[in-house]
Structures are given as C-alpha cells and as structure tokens.
Amino acid sequence: MTNISKSPFTNEIEQAEPPCKFSMPHFTFFKWDEDLKRHLKHYRNAIILYRSNNDLMCKIFATTLQGKVQDWFYTLLPQSIWSFDKFSLVFTKEHSSYCSIKKKFYHLFNVKKDPNESLPDYVKRFKVKKEKIVGCNDSIAKATFQK
C-alpha cells in the first residue's frame, strides 16, 4: 500500500487488473525531446481496443515514458491522476514546448549554406529540414534548394 500512495494515479487505477487475455500492443517510447502529439496519436491508435478502459489507458501510457519524462511522471502529486483525459492534459501541458511546429515550404528559403559548410553537409541539413515539412513536394524543394 505504501507504493500505491506515492503513485500519481488514484488507488482505483493502481489496483486495476488488465482484462482477461489482454495482450500488450507494441508502443514506441516517449523521450523528452520527441513530438508529443505524434506519441499520443501512436498510443491511442495502438490501444484502440481498450479505449473504454480508463485504468488500463493510464497504466499502459505510463509505461511508454522514458528517461526524464518518466522522472517527471513520479514528481506528480500522489493520487492526482484519476483519468486518462487528466493524464494526457497534464502530460500535454508539461511537454507542449516539444510539439512540432507545422512549417510551410517557404521555410526552406531560410536554409542557407554556411561559408564553412561542405556541400554534402548542407544537402543533408536541407533534407532534414525538408522532411519536417508536411506535404512538401520535390519540385518545391528543388526550387528552394537552387535558390
């Protein structure tokens, strides 16, 4: 009982058992510097069959946290999380600065080659920036690269 009282989850969540024949879906782990929205979408999709089981949603989500995020989880006040909605809200508020900002193709115009940067290094950096832009087609990327 001592460990349960230190958990951010209510006793009801902590004591809940998984349903019969529960099979743990595959999850990616969330680390401090990753995309929060992507992680939540992945999690919700992976556990879609158990969405109505609030206790399970909370407990399993906590297992997807790693490193500093897991440390953060244990700093939450004991018994302060009573639902997955509350958990995801607290999680989102804490880690919202890591949400990816949606960028448009014209952001590529700001990617310039540094004078001391080799061409291969510049191309790699440009490609990384391009990949972060949703829906950026190759003709636009080519035009911005040539510019």
Side-chain angles (χ1 to χ4, degrees):
M1 264 331 237
T2 309
N3 289 343
I4 291 174
S5 65
K6 293 180 183 177
S7 170
F9 294 135
T10 61
N11 288 339
E12 180 181 292
I13 292 173
E14 277 296 322
Q15 294 172 352
E17 295 291 328
C20 289
K21 299 182 182 178
F22 172 72
S23 177
M24 180 75 100
H26 173 72
F27 297 107
T28 56
F29 294 105
F30 182 79
K31 297 174 188 157
W32 196 262
D33 59 346
E34 293 176 349
D35 188 322
L36 153 77
K37 288 181 183 178
R38 183 179 296 148
H39 183 70
L40 281 170
K41 283 180 195 174
H42 170 76
Y43 178 75
R44 285 188 173 117
N45 287 334
I47 200 156
I48 197 163
L49 296 175
Y50 302 100
R51 275 200 184 152
S52 63
N53 189 329
N54 179 66
D55 301 338
L56 186 67
M57 291 282 291
C58 289
K59 289 172 83 170
I60 301 300
F61 187 72
T63 68
T64 71
L65 308 178
Q66 272 193 335
K68 291 180 183 179
V69 186
Q70 192 171 66
D71 295 342
W72 161 82
F73 173 71
Y74 286 105
T75 67
L76 296 173
L77 294 174
Q79 310 271 324
S80 63
I81 304 295
W82 58 87
S83 70
F84 183 71
D85 288 341
K86 171 71 174 175
F87 192 7
S88 57
L89 177 68
V90 170
F91 176 74
T92 302
K93 281 184 176 181
E94 177 68 21
H95 303 288
S96 63
S97 64
Y98 294 99
C99 288
S100 61
I101 298 168
K102 292 186 180 178
K103 295 191 175 189
K104 304 290 183 194
F105 73 90
Y106 51 80
H107 284 95
L108 286 177
F109 284 111
N110 296 329
V111 182
K112 305 214 184 299
K113 184 180 172 296
D114 294 328
N116 297 328
E117 185 177 30
S118 71
L119 185 58
D121 287 344
Y122 171 68
V123 171
K124 284 179 194 173
R125 191 165 55 86
F126 186 88
K127 284 181 178 180
V128 167
K129 298 280 185 184
K130 179 194 172 275
E131 293 303 316
K132 291 183 179 179
I133 298 173
V134 178
C136 183
N137 68 38
D138 289 337
S139 62
I140 291 173
K142 182 179 176 183
T144 55
F145 180 79
Q146 289 173 338
K147 184 89 171 140

mmCIF file of all heavy atoms in Angstrom, residues 89-117:
data_model
loop_
_atom_site.group_PDB
_atom_site.id
_atom_site.type_symbol
_atom_site.label_atom_id
_atom_site.label_comp_id
_atom_site.label_asym_id
_atom_site.label_seq_id
_atom_site.Cartn_x
_atom_site.Cartn_y
_atom_site.Cartn_z
ATOM 1 N N LEU A 89 -3.854 15.554 -20.390
ATOM 2 C CA LEU A 89 -3.839 17.013 -20.254
ATOM 3 C C LEU A 89 -2.594 17.480 -19.504
ATOM 4 O O LEU A 89 -1.893 18.395 -19.948
ATOM 5 C CB LEU A 89 -5.103 17.486 -19.527
ATOM 6 C CG LEU A 89 -5.178 18.987 -19.254
ATOM 7 C CD1 LEU A 89 -5.335 19.763 -20.558
ATOM 8 C CD2 LEU A 89 -6.320 19.295 -18.294
ATOM 9 N N VAL A 90 -2.291 16.841 -18.388
ATOM 10 C CA VAL A 90 -1.103 17.195 -17.596
ATOM 11 C C VAL A 90 0.160 16.960 -18.426
ATOM 12 O O VAL A 90 1.065 17.794 -18.460
ATOM 13 C CB VAL A 90 -1.074 16.386 -16.279
ATOM 14 C CG1 VAL A 90 0.250 16.548 -15.553
ATOM 15 C CG2 VAL A 90 -2.225 16.792 -15.382
ATOM 16 N N PHE A 91 0.191 15.842 -19.102
ATOM 17 C CA PHE A 91 1.331 15.484 -19.955
ATOM 18 C C PHE A 91 1.505 16.511 -21.073
ATOM 19 O O PHE A 91 2.608 16.994 -21.326
ATOM 20 C CB PHE A 91 1.079 14.082 -20.527
ATOM 21 C CG PHE A 91 2.125 13.602 -21.493
ATOM 22 C CD1 PHE A 91 3.368 13.208 -21.042
ATOM 23 C CD2 PHE A 91 1.849 13.522 -22.839
ATOM 24 C CE1 PHE A 91 4.332 12.747 -21.923
ATOM 25 C CE2 PHE A 91 2.801 13.059 -23.729
ATOM 26 C CZ PHE A 91 4.047 12.671 -23.268
ATOM 27 N N THR A 92 0.417 16.884 -21.716
ATOM 28 C CA THR A 92 0.461 17.845 -22.820
ATOM 29 C C THR A 92 0.933 19.217 -22.344
ATOM 30 O O THR A 92 1.763 19.849 -22.987
ATOM 31 C CB THR A 92 -0.921 17.967 -23.490
ATOM 32 O OG1 THR A 92 -1.321 16.676 -23.941
ATOM 33 C CG2 THR A 92 -0.892 18.914 -24.651
ATOM 34 N N LYS A 93 0.403 19.659 -21.212
ATOM 35 C CA LYS A 93 0.817 20.965 -20.674
ATOM 36 C C LYS A 93 2.316 20.996 -20.368
ATOM 37 O O LYS A 93 2.999 21.953 -20.667
ATOM 38 C CB LYS A 93 0.027 21.310 -19.415
ATOM 39 C CG LYS A 93 -1.350 21.821 -19.692
ATOM 40 C CD LYS A 93 -2.028 22.220 -18.396
ATOM 41 C CE LYS A 93 -3.370 22.820 -18.642
ATOM 42 N NZ LYS A 93 -4.032 23.225 -17.399
ATOM 43 N N GLU A 94 2.806 19.929 -19.768
ATOM 44 C CA GLU A 94 4.223 19.874 -19.381
ATOM 45 C C GLU A 94 5.146 19.822 -20.593
ATOM 46 O O GLU A 94 6.199 20.436 -20.616
ATOM 47 C CB GLU A 94 4.472 18.652 -18.492
ATOM 48 C CG GLU A 94 5.914 18.456 -18.089
ATOM 49 C CD GLU A 94 6.437 19.526 -17.146
ATOM 50 O OE1 GLU A 94 5.646 20.199 -16.472
ATOM 51 O OE2 GLU A 94 7.670 19.684 -17.081
ATOM 52 N N HIS A 95 4.749 19.092 -21.604
ATOM 53 C CA HIS A 95 5.649 18.831 -22.725
ATOM 54 C C HIS A 95 5.259 19.543 -24.019
ATOM 55 O O HIS A 95 5.785 19.221 -25.077
ATOM 56 C CB HIS A 95 5.739 17.320 -22.965
ATOM 57 C CG HIS A 95 6.202 16.593 -21.754
ATOM 58 N ND1 HIS A 95 7.492 16.651 -21.305
ATOM 59 C CD2 HIS A 95 5.528 15.840 -20.859
ATOM 60 C CE1 HIS A 95 7.595 15.958 -20.187
ATOM 61 N NE2 HIS A 95 6.420 15.457 -19.904
ATOM 62 N N SER A 96 4.373 20.517 -23.932
ATOM 63 C CA SER A 96 3.886 21.181 -25.143
ATOM 64 C C SER A 96 4.982 21.934 -25.888
ATOM 65 O O SER A 96 4.883 22.134 -27.096
ATOM 66 C CB SER A 96 2.732 22.127 -24.817
ATOM 67 O OG SER A 96 3.169 23.150 -23.952
ATOM 68 N N SER A 97 6.028 22.321 -25.217
ATOM 69 C CA SER A 97 7.105 23.033 -25.911
ATOM 70 C C SER A 97 7.836 22.134 -26.900
ATOM 71 O O SER A 97 8.568 22.606 -27.761
ATOM 72 C CB SER A 97 8.103 23.616 -24.915
ATOM 73 O OG SER A 97 8.733 22.575 -24.200
ATOM 74 N N TYR A 98 7.614 20.824 -26.795
ATOM 75 C CA TYR A 98 8.269 19.903 -27.704
ATOM 76 C C TYR A 98 7.387 19.502 -28.890
ATOM 77 O O TYR A 98 7.792 18.707 -29.712
ATOM 78 C CB TYR A 98 8.741 18.648 -26.965
ATOM 79 C CG TYR A 98 9.815 18.995 -25.981
ATOM 80 C CD1 TYR A 98 9.519 19.168 -24.645
ATOM 81 C CD2 TYR A 98 11.119 19.225 -26.407
ATOM 82 C CE1 TYR A 98 10.494 19.530 -23.740
ATOM 83 C CE2 TYR A 98 12.098 19.589 -25.511
ATOM 84 C CZ TYR A 98 11.780 19.737 -24.188
ATOM 85 O OH TYR A 98 12.746 20.107 -23.302
ATOM 86 N N CYS A 99 6.172 20.076 -28.949
ATOM 87 C CA CYS A 99 5.302 19.801 -30.096
ATOM 88 C C CYS A 99 5.953 20.382 -31.341
ATOM 89 O O CYS A 99 6.515 21.464 -31.314
ATOM 90 C CB CYS A 99 3.940 20.450 -29.920
ATOM 91 S SG CYS A 99 2.929 19.662 -28.683
ATOM 92 N N SER A 100 5.857 19.648 -32.406
ATOM 93 C CA SER A 100 6.459 20.159 -33.625
ATOM 94 C C SER A 100 5.614 21.292 -34.172
ATOM 95 O O SER A 100 4.387 21.229 -34.183
ATOM 96 C CB SER A 100 6.597 19.056 -34.668
ATOM 97 O OG SER A 100 5.332 18.556 -35.004
ATOM 98 N N ILE A 101 6.263 22.350 -34.587
ATOM 99 C CA ILE A 101 5.595 23.481 -35.188
ATOM 100 C C ILE A 101 5.451 23.167 -36.667
ATOM 101 O O ILE A 101 6.433 22.842 -37.331
ATOM 102 C CB ILE A 101 6.412 24.779 -34.971
ATOM 103 C CG1 ILE A 101 6.522 25.051 -33.474
ATOM 104 C CG2 ILE A 101 5.807 25.926 -35.725
ATOM 105 C CD1 ILE A 101 7.514 26.121 -33.114
ATOM 106 N N LYS A 102 4.218 23.273 -37.164
ATOM 107 C CA LYS A 102 3.997 22.958 -38.566
ATOM 108 C C LYS A 102 4.623 24.055 -39.415
ATOM 109 O O LYS A 102 4.310 25.221 -39.280
ATOM 110 C CB LYS A 102 2.513 22.815 -38.848
ATOM 111 C CG LYS A 102 1.935 21.600 -38.161
ATOM 112 C CD LYS A 102 0.515 21.363 -38.546
ATOM 113 C CE LYS A 102 0.049 20.116 -37.801
ATOM 114 N NZ LYS A 102 -1.311 19.798 -38.031
ATOM 115 N N LYS A 103 5.520 23.641 -40.265
ATOM 116 C CA LYS A 103 6.217 24.582 -41.131
ATOM 117 C C LYS A 103 5.721 24.434 -42.552
ATOM 118 O O LYS A 103 5.296 23.375 -42.966
ATOM 119 C CB LYS A 103 7.717 24.358 -41.054
ATOM 120 C CG LYS A 103 8.271 24.665 -39.673
ATOM 121 C CD LYS A 103 9.766 24.706 -39.664
ATOM 122 C CE LYS A 103 10.223 25.127 -38.282
ATOM 123 N NZ LYS A 103 11.619 25.385 -38.227
ATOM 124 N N LYS A 104 5.806 25.509 -43.266
ATOM 125 C CA LYS A 104 5.385 25.553 -44.670
ATOM 126 C C LYS A 104 6.626 25.483 -45.548
ATOM 127 O O LYS A 104 7.751 25.683 -45.099
ATOM 128 C CB LYS A 104 4.615 26.849 -44.952
ATOM 129 C CG LYS A 104 3.421 27.057 -44.049
ATOM 130 C CD LYS A 104 2.341 26.077 -44.356
ATOM 131 C CE LYS A 104 1.117 26.353 -43.490
ATOM 132 N NZ LYS A 104 0.174 25.325 -43.473
ATOM 133 N N PHE A 105 6.402 25.239 -46.842
ATOM 134 C CA PHE A 105 7.516 25.076 -47.773
ATOM 135 C C PHE A 105 8.428 26.293 -47.811
ATOM 136 O O PHE A 105 9.626 26.179 -48.006
ATOM 137 C CB PHE A 105 7.004 24.755 -49.186
ATOM 138 C CG PHE A 105 6.382 25.925 -49.881
ATOM 139 C CD1 PHE A 105 7.158 26.772 -50.666
ATOM 140 C CD2 PHE A 105 5.030 26.184 -49.766
ATOM 141 C CE1 PHE A 105 6.592 27.859 -51.302
ATOM 142 C CE2 PHE A 105 4.458 27.252 -50.396
ATOM 143 C CZ PHE A 105 5.232 28.107 -51.165
ATOM 144 N N TYR A 106 7.879 27.493 -47.603
ATOM 145 C CA TYR A 106 8.707 28.694 -47.691
ATOM 146 C C TYR A 106 9.742 28.791 -46.575
ATOM 147 O O TYR A 106 10.667 29.587 -46.651
ATOM 148 C CB TYR A 106 7.853 29.965 -47.757
ATOM 149 C CG TYR A 106 6.801 30.092 -46.690
ATOM 150 C CD1 TYR A 106 7.120 30.533 -45.410
ATOM 151 C CD2 TYR A 106 5.484 29.770 -46.968
ATOM 152 C CE1 TYR A 106 6.157 30.645 -44.446
ATOM 153 C CE2 TYR A 106 4.507 29.889 -46.002
ATOM 154 C CZ TYR A 106 4.843 30.333 -44.745
ATOM 155 O OH TYR A 106 3.883 30.445 -43.780
ATOM 156 N N HIS A 107 9.623 27.959 -45.539
ATOM 157 C CA HIS A 107 10.661 27.908 -44.506
ATOM 158 C C HIS A 107 11.982 27.392 -45.077
ATOM 159 O O HIS A 107 13.049 27.667 -44.540
ATOM 160 C CB HIS A 107 10.225 27.032 -43.326
ATOM 161 C CG HIS A 107 9.233 27.699 -42.431
ATOM 162 N ND1 HIS A 107 7.881 27.522 -42.575
ATOM 163 C CD2 HIS A 107 9.397 28.546 -41.394
ATOM 164 C CE1 HIS A 107 7.260 28.231 -41.655
ATOM 165 N NE2 HIS A 107 8.153 28.862 -40.931
ATOM 166 N N LEU A 108 11.890 26.655 -46.172
ATOM 167 C CA LEU A 108 13.116 26.148 -46.802
ATOM 168 C C LEU A 108 13.978 27.278 -47.364
ATOM 169 O O LEU A 108 15.181 27.125 -47.509
ATOM 170 C CB LEU A 108 12.776 25.151 -47.915
ATOM 171 C CG LEU A 108 12.297 23.783 -47.450
ATOM 172 C CD1 LEU A 108 11.924 22.921 -48.649
ATOM 173 C CD2 LEU A 108 13.346 23.085 -46.616
ATOM 174 N N PHE A 109 13.363 28.413 -47.681
ATOM 175 C CA PHE A 109 14.138 29.548 -48.194
ATOM 176 C C PHE A 109 15.107 30.087 -47.141
ATOM 177 O O PHE A 109 16.085 30.754 -47.470
ATOM 178 C CB PHE A 109 13.221 30.673 -48.683
ATOM 179 C CG PHE A 109 12.580 30.390 -50.006
ATOM 180 C CD1 PHE A 109 11.221 30.148 -50.099
ATOM 181 C CD2 PHE A 109 13.340 30.346 -51.171
ATOM 182 C CE1 PHE A 109 10.624 29.872 -51.319
ATOM 183 C CE2 PHE A 109 12.754 30.079 -52.399
ATOM 184 C CZ PHE A 109 11.392 29.840 -52.470
ATOM 185 N N ASN A 110 14.843 29.799 -45.886
ATOM 186 C CA ASN A 110 15.725 30.251 -44.799
ATOM 187 C C ASN A 110 16.916 29.328 -44.571
ATOM 188 O O ASN A 110 17.812 29.648 -43.794
ATOM 189 C CB ASN A 110 14.930 30.374 -43.496
ATOM 190 C CG ASN A 110 13.858 31.424 -43.581
ATOM 191 O OD1 ASN A 110 14.001 32.418 -44.281
ATOM 192 N ND2 ASN A 110 12.753 31.194 -42.886
ATOM 193 N N VAL A 111 16.924 28.183 -45.232
ATOM 194 C CA VAL A 111 18.033 27.242 -45.074
ATOM 195 C C VAL A 111 19.132 27.657 -46.043
ATOM 196 O O VAL A 111 19.001 27.509 -47.251
ATOM 197 C CB VAL A 111 17.586 25.786 -45.359
ATOM 198 C CG1 VAL A 111 18.746 24.825 -45.147
ATOM 199 C CG2 VAL A 111 16.404 25.411 -44.494
ATOM 200 N N LYS A 112 20.177 28.198 -45.499
ATOM 201 C CA LYS A 112 21.284 28.692 -46.321
ATOM 202 C C LYS A 112 22.559 27.938 -45.966
ATOM 203 O O LYS A 112 22.750 27.518 -44.836
ATOM 204 C CB LYS A 112 21.477 30.179 -46.085
ATOM 205 C CG LYS A 112 20.200 30.993 -46.323
ATOM 206 C CD LYS A 112 20.511 32.329 -46.884
ATOM 207 C CE LYS A 112 19.310 33.208 -47.049
ATOM 208 N NZ LYS A 112 18.278 32.769 -47.897
ATOM 209 N N LYS A 113 23.417 27.820 -46.951
ATOM 210 C CA LYS A 113 24.703 27.150 -46.742
ATOM 211 C C LYS A 113 25.640 28.081 -45.994
ATOM 212 O O LYS A 113 25.830 29.234 -46.367
ATOM 213 C CB LYS A 113 25.327 26.761 -48.088
ATOM 214 C CG LYS A 113 26.617 25.985 -47.957
ATOM 215 C CD LYS A 113 27.161 25.633 -49.332
ATOM 216 C CE LYS A 113 28.538 25.042 -49.238
ATOM 217 N NZ LYS A 113 29.542 25.935 -48.713
ATOM 218 N N ASP A 114 26.201 27.567 -44.913
ATOM 219 C CA ASP A 114 27.190 28.343 -44.167
ATOM 220 C C ASP A 114 28.492 28.363 -44.955
ATOM 221 O O ASP A 114 28.824 27.389 -45.643
ATOM 222 C CB ASP A 114 27.435 27.719 -42.792
ATOM 223 C CG ASP A 114 26.209 27.790 -41.896
ATOM 224 O OD1 ASP A 114 25.442 28.759 -42.021
ATOM 225 O OD2 ASP A 114 26.023 26.867 -41.076
ATOM 226 N N PRO A 115 29.260 29.450 -44.872
ATOM 227 C CA PRO A 115 30.511 29.549 -45.648
ATOM 228 C C PRO A 115 31.492 28.403 -45.391
ATOM 229 O O PRO A 115 32.174 27.961 -46.301
ATOM 230 C CB PRO A 115 31.119 30.883 -45.203
ATOM 231 C CG PRO A 115 29.997 31.662 -44.630
ATOM 232 C CD PRO A 115 29.003 30.670 -44.110
ATOM 233 N N ASN A 116 31.554 27.911 -44.169
ATOM 234 C CA ASN A 116 32.499 26.843 -43.838
ATOM 235 C C ASN A 116 31.887 25.451 -43.943
ATOM 236 O O ASN A 116 32.532 24.464 -43.600
ATOM 237 C CB ASN A 116 33.049 27.046 -42.422
ATOM 238 C CG ASN A 116 33.834 28.336 -42.309
ATOM 239 O OD1 ASN A 116 34.465 28.764 -43.274
ATOM 240 N ND2 ASN A 116 33.785 28.956 -41.148
ATOM 241 N N GLU A 117 30.668 25.357 -44.419
ATOM 242 C CA GLU A 117 29.963 24.082 -44.506
ATOM 243 C C GLU A 117 30.213 23.433 -45.863
ATOM 244 O O GLU A 117 30.145 24.086 -46.903
ATOM 245 C CB GLU A 117 28.462 24.347 -44.319
ATOM 246 C CG GLU A 117 27.595 23.140 -44.255
ATOM 247 C CD GLU A 117 26.138 23.495 -43.986
ATOM 248 O OE1 GLU A 117 25.681 24.591 -44.390
ATOM 249 O OE2 GLU A 117 25.452 22.669 -43.372
#
